[in-house]
Amino acid sequence: MAEETQGTMQKAPQTDAKPKASENNNNRRPNNPNRKPNPNRNGKPGEKPVGNKPSGNKPSGGNRNKNRNNRYKRQPTPVDENLKTFVGKNQDAHKQRLNPHYKLDLGSKAKIRVTPLGGLGEIGGNIMVFETEKEAILVDVGMSFPDETMHGVDILIPDFSYLREIKDKIVGIVITHAHEDHIGAMPYLYKEMQFPIYGTPLPLAMIGNKFDEHHIKEHRKYFNPIVKREIVKIGNDFEVEWMHMTHSILDSSSVAITTEAGTVIHTGDFKIDYTPVDGYTADLHRLAYYGEKGVLCLLSDSTNSHNPTPTGSELSVAPALDRIFAKAEGRVLLSTFSSNIHRVQQAIQYGIKYGRKVCVIGRSMERNIEIAMQYDYVRFNKNIFIDADEVSRLNDKEVLIVTTGSQGEANSALFRMSIGEHRHVKIKPTDLIVLSSRAIPGNEGSISGMLNHLQRAGASVAMSKDIHVSGHASMEEQKLMLRLVNPKFFLPIHGEYNHVMKHRETGMMCGVPERNILLMTDGEQIEIAPKYMRKVKTVKTGKTYIDNQNNHQIEDDIVLDRQKLATDGVVMMVVEVSEQNSKMLDKPKVTTFGIVPDKQDKAFAKEMEDVVEIYLTNIKPGLIENSRALENDIRQVVRKHIYRKMKKYPLIVPHVLVH
Ligand SMILES: [Zn+2]
């Protein structure tokens, strides 16, 4: 608007009616020696003053003054040179503020090495090694879950080979939060080697519980509880600060690890919850503090990096819970992840609001609520709780059952209730089952199976989206993290390849150059110095299989055998061979499982007899004395034959007896 006003006030006559193209910035310059010269006169093309449209010598349409010599020509805005220098100064300030380069000691020769031993290229099993020349710390020691091909395996823990190698360098273990995928492998590590453990109270309490269960109570002596915002020196080389983070478990942290090379921020798992249930918001101020000081590298949670919608607050499930409890006519059975204490807390609050007593069923749920109450993370009047055997004494409308089994796990309380096998609780048609969780990928089938059972028993099931919210940062919160921390280098962590890949894109959007971002996989060692980041080597990683019944390791070959048994079956055969003429003394005894139907057993045995007979007629002289070699050979010929005929590789177990 100001521009137009100025234009209409212009009175000076136009002197140069036919300007050359090159002069079109000046062609309407009034012939007035008192006016300031147009600083853009000699400017480059494109630097025209705003609003100075090349309108040739046509009269300006908006000019009411019809006098040809007084046509409208816009007077260029004078530029205040002093003001302009401040634009440059502000640009410099932005550069200083945004470019982490300026905040790092580029002359420093110090470096730090980062090696994920789990948690990359997979979900769970998180364990990260940070190493200086002389010392190392670990961040989290988690477990993960097997897939359906790992028969009889309950959990997976990371391969500790590399830790054995650098055992003498390790000065401590830093714990970010108490989820199983961050602490679940601790007892297995501690049975073998021990180091000081640093963490906030809840994760330590949960690790302590594991130590007790594994009969290594004495290792609680390695606990070093810390206070958030207080910097802890670990060994000689590491200074670590825990910064409060919001996540789907209480008392979570990001950690700032400072070594001579600079500060590395490891976010742990996080989301940015502006209205957390306990009021303890993420410590954005400390993140910003480090960002301001200069951060060498950020390692940030990639779990939800595909999600463009910001992750909701834990409090966002409250209205749905309220609605559910307000309407429920019979018992309410709510199931969620037992570690999500704030979810459980909210459910209990609404239960109480609508006059219900609370019965907690399921070992992990009972234990987690107990720990949260013991350590004052949540407070409930003890008289709101009832035991499972008291449920039947109350009116259905007075009962809230909080239980495990939201993933349809076959040994969980809710699953047993669904098939009528729970000691105290049988599902009734008036029951309302609330699944306040999402399906962990891979569990959809078992959840669906449990839903079938529950609905067959007549119960209603509520599992809408608004009764669950994720604990992981979506793209927008990942951006906030990147902008607050403003790192020079960026390592997206926690997630499969496609998650970290997407997180890289977000990192680039937030100002980290592509060359400063590396996508790691388990076992890759990255060296970071103020001047560079590069992959230096690969260390051994993998998974160790654990049987939860006895907490013992299952050797790899056992799992491989089980896989073969499950998919291809087994052939056992006993072959008696004459020492004199290398001929079979009798028909071989052949037993099979999972290969041919019973009615074809005999035909199959005959086939095996023929295969062995042909083999024996061509046997090399002298081999007959070596029954081990004979067995190997027979295994080979039988394997070839079966594969040719059936395209299967069963387990083949030959026994050769030579008389
Ligand atoms: Zn977590």
Side-chain angles (χ1 to χ4, degrees), residues 9-56:
M9 280 164 67
Q10 180 169 325
K11 298 267 167 34
Q14 178 73 29
T15 52
D16 190 354
K18 288 193 175 179
K20 291 170 200 155
S22 63
E23 290 174 324
N24 78 355
N25 269 349
N26 309 323
N27 60 358
R28 283 155 295 167
R29 188 157 53 87
N31 189 10
N32 182 347
N34 294 329
R35 288 192 185 268
K36 270 194 157 188
N38 182 350
N40 263 349
R41 184 168 40 189
N42 300 317
K44 295 173 210 149
E47 288 188 354
K48 288 176 286 185
V50 177
N52 187 1
K53 294 171 196 140
S55 54

Side-chain angles (χ1 to χ4, degrees), residues 177 179 181-182 247 269 472:
H177 67 288
H179 272 150
D181 55 339
H182 292 257
H247 182 40
D269 285 349
H472 294 275

